[in-house]
Amino acid sequence: MSRTTERNELAHDSASRAAPRLVLTGRGIVPGRAEARALVTTQTISGWGGIDPSTGTVIEKQHELEGISFAGRILVFPGAKGSSGWSGFFQSSRLLGSPPAAMLFTTVTTKAVLGAVVTRCPTVIELDGDPVALIRTDDWVEVDGDRGRVSVFDAAPTGAGGGAGEGVRVL
């Protein structure tokens, strides 16, 4: 699909979908646009030993997302914890085909920022509201890393799919 076709589809979707429930603005640190269902955690995520990069599944024991995959989801979390291997594990998730569609986080560290850059998924930080508190798991979220804009919808656009990770669109 060409970029022009994608933009035309996005313009059509924007015209036919409901207005967002919430719009946040911040600083885009990785360009690009994606939309998908959100996966929200109030806990920091450990890269090395905390995720399985082949599936994008959080494997850290007693983490609130233990056993849940972030692949193809908008990952909303406070930030990174653990070693500097964090970015390497998130890059591996991209190389193995299971990265998040986009990332939103609140605590800016070199680990999390480098992880977002090497994962190459649109990322917005320093938002004007706390995404961890304002976005719910399974909300439909559009992340525009070029403009630093995050739009939250109560429902996915028609034809976007209904399940977790379905309907991911990298725009």
Side-chain angles (χ1 to χ4, degrees), residues 21-22 24 36-45 58 63-65 69-80 86 90 100-107 121-125 127 129-143 150-152:
R21 171 175 54 88
L22 172 70
L24 300 169
R37 294 198 181 282
L39 180 62
V40 182
T41 178
T42 61
Q43 297 178 318
T44 56
I45 296 176
V58 175
H63 192 283
E64 63 189 15
L65 295 183
S69 175
F70 54 70
R73 307 281 297 262
I74 307 294
L75 183 58
V76 183
F77 61 112
W86 201 93
F90 272 79
M103 290 191 215
L104 305 172
F105 51 87
T106 55
T107 303
C121 62
T123 302
V124 180
I125 61 171
L127 292 157
D130 182 353
V132 174
L134 298 171
I135 299 173
R136 301 177 302 245
T137 290
D138 290 332
D139 279 345
W140 189 262
V141 178
E142 180 181 322
V143 176
V150 176
S151 301
V152 182

Side-chain angles (χ1 to χ4, degrees), residues 33-122:
R33 297 183 339 192
E35 58 182 284
R37 294 198 181 282
L39 180 62
V40 182
T41 178
T42 61
Q43 297 178 318
T44 56
I45 296 176
S46 176
W48 189 8
I51 67 167
D52 175 351
S54 67
T55 61
T57 302
V58 175
I59 59 172
E60 180 182 347
K61 296 293 180 200
Q62 300 183 351
H63 192 283
E64 63 189 15
L65 295 183
E66 182 182 359
I68 299 173
S69 175
F70 54 70
R73 307 281 297 262
I74 307 294
L75 183 58
V76 183
F77 61 112
K81 70 176 176 182
S83 76
S84 58
W86 201 93
S87 58
F89 272 75
F90 272 79
Q91 178 189 31
S92 293
S93 75
R94 177 181 60 84
L95 297 172
L96 296 169
S98 60
M103 290 191 215
L104 305 172
F105 51 87
T106 55
T107 303
V108 178
T109 62
T110 54
K111 280 184 281 211
V113 171
L114 180 58
V117 169
V118 297
T119 304
R120 299 183 188 165
C121 62

